Structures are given as C-alpha cells and as structure tokens.
C-alpha cells in the first residue's frame, strides 16, 4: 500500500518538476552604478544644488534629465545639447553682459559638450552661471 501511495505521489510530482524547469525565468539585470557629484552655482557663487548621485547613465546630459529638481532646459544643435536654463535661471543678455551656463569637470573647464561627456566614477560636475562682456 505504501508503495502505491509513493508511486502516485511520484507520478504527480515528476510532471510538476519538469514543467517548472521549462518555464522562462526573467532576471533583472542590475547595471553598474556610477557615483558622481553634481553642483550648480549661480552668478553670485551661491550653491543652488549639491548632490552625490548614483546613476547607470553614460552621458552627463542624461544624468541631468533624470533629475527633475535641476529644472534642465536645453536646445539641440549640431554639436549636441546646449543648456539654456538650470534651476529656473535662464541664459540672458543684460546690458553688455551675456550670461550662460558653463561647466567644469573636477575643477577644470569642460572641453566637451554635455551630450558627449561620458561620466566617470567619482568625478564632480560643476555648472556655473557665468557671463562675458561684449
């Protein structure tokens, strides 16, 4: 009698094991996160934003797009994105001064646009509202 019960249980369990082995499993791929710091400074040298961010984005423009609180506005050009506003502060011309957003990578003036700037672990990206006189 015990052998018949064991046989019935075995007959029920074997197909169950086979079916569960054939199902497709979905795995969530966790991409490597990069930790960077974003600082935004107005023309009076006041820090408006200073956050360390973990991101899986490759380019600086995409990191900024993900952060609604920086209030990014930009225009696309042949050279990539051109930042026109951060933190609600728009580029402008005032008398003979032309105000614009520049940025620095680890305290060095960036020589590449934000669309082409690949972020690097541990780097600091500082956006400064600056002007030049015309």
């Amino acid at each position: 009698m015990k052998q018949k019960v064991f046989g019935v249980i075995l007959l029920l369990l074997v197909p169950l094991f086979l079916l569960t082995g054939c199902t497709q499993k979905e795995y969530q791929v966790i991409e490597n996160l990069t930790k960077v710091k974003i600082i935004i400074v107005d023309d009076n040298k006041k820090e408006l934003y200073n956050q360390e961010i973990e991101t899986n984005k490759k380019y600086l423009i995409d990191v900024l797009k993900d952060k609604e609180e920086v209030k990014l506005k930009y225009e696309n050009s042949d050279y990539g994105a051109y930042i026109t506003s951060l933190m609600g502060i728009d580029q402008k011309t005032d008398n003979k001064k032309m105000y614009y957003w520049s940025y620095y990578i680890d305290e060095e003036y960036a020589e590449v646009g934000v669309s082409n700037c690949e972020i690097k672990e541990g780097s600091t990206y500082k956006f400064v509202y600056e002007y030049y006189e015309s």
Side-chain angles (χ1 to χ4, degrees):
M1 179 77 172
K2 287 183 183 180
Q3 287 181 339
K4 285 185 180 183
V5 172
F6 180 73
V8 170
I9 292 174
L10 191 60
L11 284 174
L12 293 174
L13 290 178
V14 168
L16 181 64
F17 287 126
L18 290 175
L19 288 175
T20 57
C22 293
T23 61
Q24 260 188 342
K25 293 184 180 179
E26 289 185 32
Y27 294 98
Q28 180 181 7
V29 176
I30 298 175
E31 296 182 34
N32 291 335
L33 294 177
T34 303
K35 190 181 288 188
V36 297
K37 184 176 249 187
I38 303 290
I39 300 171
I40 300 174
V41 179
D42 69 10
D43 57 326
N44 294 317
K45 300 187 184 337
K46 179 182 174 190
E47 278 190 9
L48 305 175
Y49 186 85
N50 186 337
Q51 295 291 319
E52 198 167 74
I53 298 167
E54 286 188 329
T55 182
N56 62 355
K57 301 298 182 188
K58 183 176 181 178
Y59 295 101
L60 184 55
I61 188 70
D62 296 321
V63 174
L64 295 173
K65 286 178 186 177
D66 274 358
K67 296 295 172 188
E68 288 182 29
E69 61 268 25
V70 303
K71 301 175 187 170
L72 169 70
K73 290 184 185 175
Y74 65 96
E75 294 176 5
N76 286 315
S77 73
D78 292 340
Y79 304 103
Y82 175 75
I83 294 176
T84 59
S85 182
L86 287 171
M87 306 300 291
I89 301 173
D90 298 329
Q91 67 180 18
K92 67 179 180 177
T93 303
D94 184 16
N95 293 324
K96 294 184 178 184
K97 293 180 182 177
M98 171 73 170
Y99 288 87
Y100 63 97
W101 285 101
S102 63
Y103 82 99
Y104 298 80
I105 304 169
D106 296 326
E107 300 299 327
E108 291 188 31
Y109 191 81
E111 295 183 12
V112 64
V114 291
S115 296
N116 298 315
C117 178
E118 290 187 31
I119 62 170
K120 187 173 146 188
E121 176 71 33
S123 287
T124 298
Y125 301 91
K126 185 176 183 179
F127 294 84
V128 181
Y129 193 58
E130 298 179 322
Y131 69 88
Y132 68 89
E133 293 192 42
S134 57

